[in-house]
Amino acid sequence: MPSEMALGEMLPEEAVRDAAHGGMDDVYSKPGHLIRRLQQIAVSVFAQECADHDITPVQYAALVAVRDNPGLDATRIAALVAFDRSTIGNVLERLEGKALIERRANPDDRRVKILKISRRGARLLDACEPAVLRAQDRMLDPLDARERKAFTTFMRRIIAQQDQPK
Amino acid sequence: MPSEMALGEMLPEEAVRDAAHGGMDDVYSKPGHLIRRLQQIAVSVFAQECADHDITPVQYAALVAVRDNPGLDATRIAALVAFDRSTIGNVLERLEGKALIERRANPDDRRVKILKISRRGARLLDACEPAVLRAQDRMLDPLDARERKAFTTFMRRIIAQQDQPK
DNA sequence: CGCTATTCCTCCGTATACTGTCAATTCCCG
DNA sequence: CGGGAATTGACAGTATACGGAGGAATAGCG
């Protein structure tokens, strides 16, 4: 086994499993496990492609949402990108810390803080768009066009069902 | 919008998006976002089904790995379930805290700590197996048998490609 | 107009998740 | 056999992720 083994290059999974157990139709084949692995891969690929831009997938999604919907508050941005209210708070804090967004109090309703992307944030989004597209593409690399469409459809359907239970 | 909105019941996503923007072929349709949502749902469904057992998906996976491969150390368990070495450390610590596993020093190699499931851990795994199966099933609910097979195949293929990059 | 319910943000606590580092230990090659 | 390389567990630091509590502010109803 290689010494310092980043997740991206981790491969002994099957080998270890076969050597130790040999189970095949086990936990490792269940959707829960596969989905977690998929998410791991998605984050890893995104990080690789966007290494120069110092931004995470979550921060990217939030930043896009803020850009495309200026004037919304944190709660509504959270709903857009499907984040928890608590989580979005930290993410926006980091974005503000990097001067990618601006948070301003709303005079009309002093509970809310209005969100707006900064010029710097807009520039960053433009700059990393090719990398993001590459990342999205690389994830689905082993699927052909028809399979990609089917895969996306399946994911959408599962998500939609969860959004409207019954 | 309902006041206390848990993630499982969050649904205004589309509504907010349509009202504010109307974008369709945007970030929200990209695999990265869909996969993150899928993982969210998987965790949420698991938590719902296993609420009585006080165990998380990650802890469950680790516990099964320890049960099925007694005598392995943390690094090898991590490779089995595709966790980071740091992450597995915390997970095992919690499992040991709940007395679900036992960690013992290996006399032959004093770097290593041998892992073994406890009787309590084994009982818990037996107890929550039905709930776990229900959870795995509910995730793929909107897909029929053939689609489930295809979906699983796609996920496996993406993961395999990432494990053996070229 | 006052009171209650709601909304918004923030903070706390817990659990993943990964990188990097470190000390102790063992391995292995010369 | 001696010493550098590798391995293992632990720790620090950062970033998601989610539930719950709480305070400030607003809305809505009587």
Side-chain angles (χ1 to χ4, degrees), chain B residues 30-164:
Chain B
K30 299 261 178 62
H33 185 254
L34 297 176
I35 290 171
R36 194 174 55 77
R37 295 285 284 117
L38 230 54
Q39 161 73 356
Q40 251 178 357
I41 289 168
V43 172
S44 166
V45 169
F46 187 100
Q48 286 168 29
E49 294 294 342
C50 295
D52 298 336
H53 303 290
D54 184 35
I55 193 166
T56 67
V58 164
Q59 289 170 16
Y60 176 80
L63 194 50
V64 169
V66 171
R67 182 195 59 188
D68 293 346
N69 305 279
L72 288 195
D73 60 273
T75 298
R76 255 142 291 276
I77 295 292
L80 269 174
V81 290
F83 288 162
D84 184 84
R85 252 180 343 128
S86 298
T87 303
I88 202 73
N90 300 323
V91 174
L92 294 177
E93 198 177 322
R94 281 174 217 114
L95 289 178
E96 193 184 20
K98 292 195 260 188
L100 301 178
I101 63 169
E102 292 160 16
R103 268 199 290 194
R104 214 172 328 160
N106 182 353
D108 296 340
D109 184 342
R110 275 153 47 207
R111 290 171 303 182
V112 178
K113 290 190 177 179
I114 297 300
L115 300 171
K116 205 168 82 61
I117 196 169
S118 69
R119 203 166 310 169
R120 184 145 171 236
R123 245 185 291 126
L124 189 149
L125 280 188
D126 287 343
C128 62
E129 198 190 335
V132 172
L133 291 179
R134 268 200 310 277
Q136 303 292 344
D137 213 62
R138 262 184 61 194
M139 286 177 217
L140 303 186
D141 206 40
L143 306 184
D144 65 38
R146 225 180 76 254
E147 292 169 333
R148 286 179 193 211
K149 188 150 286 188
F151 186 56
T152 303
T153 301
F154 293 158
M155 289 197 287
R156 279 175 179 287
R157 213 189 299 164
I158 291 172
I159 293 166
Q161 200 247 4
Q162 211 61 22
D163 281 351
Q164 270 103 31

Side-chain angles (χ1 to χ4, degrees), chain A residues 4 6-7 36 40 73-76 85-86 103 111-113:
Chain A
E4 270 322 313
L7 249 188
R36 194 174 55 76
Q40 249 178 0
D73 61 89
T75 298
R76 254 143 291 275
R85 261 198 300 267
S86 299
R103 266 196 291 193
R111 287 172 304 183
V112 305
K113 290 187 175 179

